[in-house]
Amino acid sequence: MDRDLTDKLAEIVGAANVTRATRDLASVGERERGRSWLVRPGSAAEVAHLVRLAGAERATVVPVGTASRRRPIAKVVDARPRIVCDLKRLNHVVYLDETSLVAQVQAGITGLAFEELLHPRGLTLGDFPPPVLRSTLGGMLSVRTPGKSTPRHGILEDAVLGVSAVLADGRAVHTRVAPRRATGPDLGRAFLGSEGALGIVTGVVLRIHRRPETRLLDAHRFPSVDAALAATFEALRRDARPAAARIYDAAEARAHLGYAGPGPEEAVLVLAAHGPSELAAADRDVVAAAAAERGATQLGPALAEIWWKRRHGHAVPGKPPPPPALEAWAVPSRLAAVRAAAVAAAAASGRTARTHLARLDLDGGCAFVTLLDGDEPDPVGPARAPVEAAIVAAGGHLVGSRDEALEPYLGSLKRILDPQGILG
């Protein structure tokens, strides 16, 4: 059967685009690789053919973009043969309307590659963090993460005007591009965040933006993390829309910015304001006013410049800090408590926790927690489980986890759209 299925896959995508090499199946569990194939379709039509073949062969199709799925493939599918569908060959911009600021793109292009095409035209996808843009657009839209949000441009899903996808029976669907108030129920939203389990996204129509003419950077030192958070959310409520903002506790400010100025309970806010010069200055000044009301000292742009360069992968003096062990999202009213609970739980477990808060908008923000044993990172040590439990108890949501209360509803929708369990 293995040879027959390999030949049938090759008939659809070409023999050069079918592989069973271990290095290409790194996202598949070791014991499952013997019944797995990785294929690289070059069009939506080939994706549809692969899904129909999977139905006939009682196989499972699992789409991947940059192969960085949050859930290991081995835990998503059963013991049937699995076809890992690598979409990176679907990497074309179908059309680009520079007047209407609309683009139709295939799902396999990465955000960074799309930005490289937009940049010479004075356009951009938005103020999204560069690490997020390393994923394919299909992957970014198929997985729910808070990183795809900016105060200025909102969440990436809000930019989606239309979706093309392949259903579990091999049919292709295209949600039409029209004013949202005129479309009725939006089928495309069912595919966003479903991790390919309800349909394989093959292309999207997106709203894009003009590149900002000005970038202004600033930083403020606060008496506490709580004061910095309160000032930031107050500025957002006053309609400030910075491109990005981040709050460091004192230890994180030393590690990330090389800044030894803040006392042990103090915090540093760094921000970037983008747009026409007047609007960028207004956003910066609204934040500065809210910061001053809460006892902050304005530090100027130097520290924010270090943050901005590090954020975009440029070299800065000093040793790069370790990646955070945990990321948790919370609403504005719970974010400070979530951070405090993580720090307290780490201390109770004999570890320390450095924190910074980012991806802040009116809906909430993310707490990033670095766990340390002395001066050394300890991301999977004895503090991790208690810190995770403390975060959830304080009202936070661990990024990468799923809401178990929704599983029955997602399961029902899955059984309707994919009764044979074709899509992983």
Side-chain angles (χ1 to χ4, degrees):
M1 174 186 173
D2 286 1
R3 171 49 53 188
D4 289 344
L5 184 53
T6 300
D7 291 342
K8 291 176 181 178
L9 293 170
E11 289 177 6
I12 297 173
V13 300
N17 295 306
V18 180
T19 177
R20 305 191 73 183
T22 299
R23 66 179 181 277
D24 296 316
L25 291 167
S27 53
V28 178
E30 184 176 349
R31 288 187 297 178
E32 288 74 22
R33 288 175 192 157
R35 54 181 184 274
S36 299
W37 287 254
L38 185 137
V39 297
R40 302 184 179 94
S43 67
E46 290 183 356
V47 175
H49 282 304
L50 289 170
V51 172
R52 286 194 288 269
L53 175 63
E57 298 288 334
R58 296 189 57 78
T60 302
V61 179
V62 183
V64 296
T66 53
S68 57
R69 293 169 60 93
R70 290 184 176 272
R71 292 183 295 156
I73 289 174
K75 294 184 179 180
V76 182
V77 297
D78 55 26
R80 293 179 293 176
R82 75 271 332 264
I83 301 168
V84 181
C85 192
D86 183 338
L87 299 177
K88 289 195 290 294
R89 287 181 64 208
L90 277 70
N91 60 359
H92 299 290
V93 177
V94 180
Y95 75 78
L96 177 62
D97 187 334
E98 298 184 37
T99 301
S100 299
L101 296 178
V102 171
Q104 181 180 358
V105 295
Q106 292 182 311
I109 190 170
T110 67
L112 289 178
F114 188 38
E115 283 287 292
E116 289 176 359
L117 292 171
L118 295 175
H119 188 276
R121 297 170 171 83
L123 303 172
T124 181
L125 179 61
D127 300 318
F128 302 104
V132 172
L133 297 177
R134 296 190 186 107
S135 300
T136 62
L137 289 178
M140 292 165 65
L141 291 167
S142 294
V143 178
R144 289 284 189 188
T145 59
K148 303 175 296 180
S149 173
T150 74
R152 199 160 76 103
H153 292 140
I155 62 173
L156 180 60
E157 285 87 343
D158 284 344
V160 176
L161 304 176
V163 176
S164 297
V166 173
L167 300 179
D169 60 3
R171 287 180 295 170
V173 296
H174 310 277
T175 62
R176 66 193 184 101
V177 179
R180 291 178 185 170
R181 61 183 176 274
T183 59
D186 189 350
L187 177 62
R189 296 283 150 172
F191 304 120
L192 304 183
S194 71
E195 300 187 4
L198 303 180
I200 300 175
V201 175
T202 57
V204 290
V205 179
L206 292 169
R207 178 76 63 194
I208 55 177
H209 306 276
R210 301 285 183 199
R211 291 190 68 82
E213 66 181 47
T214 300
R215 182 183 76 233
L216 300 176
L217 300 172
D218 206 359
H220 303 267
R221 189 178 73 198
F222 285 83
S224 67
V225 172
D226 289 6
L229 264 178
T232 304
F233 284 123
E234 177 59 27
L236 294 176
R237 287 191 291 268
R238 294 177 185 176
D239 288 332
R241 293 295 179 265
R246 179 175 291 190
I247 298 168
Y248 294 100
D249 67 20
E252 281 282 78
R254 288 191 290 271
H256 286 249
L257 307 176
Y259 179 53
E265 301 302 320
E266 292 184 322
V268 174
L269 165 67
V270 290
L271 73 138
H274 286 179
S277 300
E278 297 84 356
L279 287 179
D283 286 336
R284 178 198 59 191
D285 294 345
V286 169
V287 175
E293 292 170 6
R294 284 160 177 79
T297 301
Q298 193 164 16
L299 301 174
L303 291 177
E305 188 71 41
I306 296 173
W307 157 65
W308 193 257
K309 286 181 178 179
R310 194 184 292 281
R311 182 179 191 262
H312 288 265
H314 302 304
V316 297
K319 181 181 178 181
L326 294 167
E327 177 185 350
W329 181 89
V331 298
S333 62
R334 302 306 305 163
L335 188 55
V338 165
R339 177 210 165 256
V343 172
S349 301
R351 298 293 186 265
T352 57
R354 295 199 312 248
T355 61
H356 66 266
L357 308 170
R359 300 173 184 175
L360 305 167
D361 56 34
L362 284 171
D363 292 328
C366 287
F368 294 82
V369 182
T370 299
L371 297 174
L372 301 166
D373 182 4
D375 293 329
E376 295 299 318
D378 188 30
V380 294
R384 185 181 182 96
V387 169
E388 289 181 343
I391 286 171
V392 173
H397 302 269
L398 293 165
V399 173
S401 63
R402 297 179 66 161
D403 190 341
E404 294 183 0
L406 293 178
E407 290 298 327
Y409 306 100
L410 295 174
S412 296
L413 184 58
K414 170 75 171 173
R415 287 189 290 274
I416 292 170
L417 294 178
D418 185 12
Q420 297 183 59
I422 301 299
L423 300 179

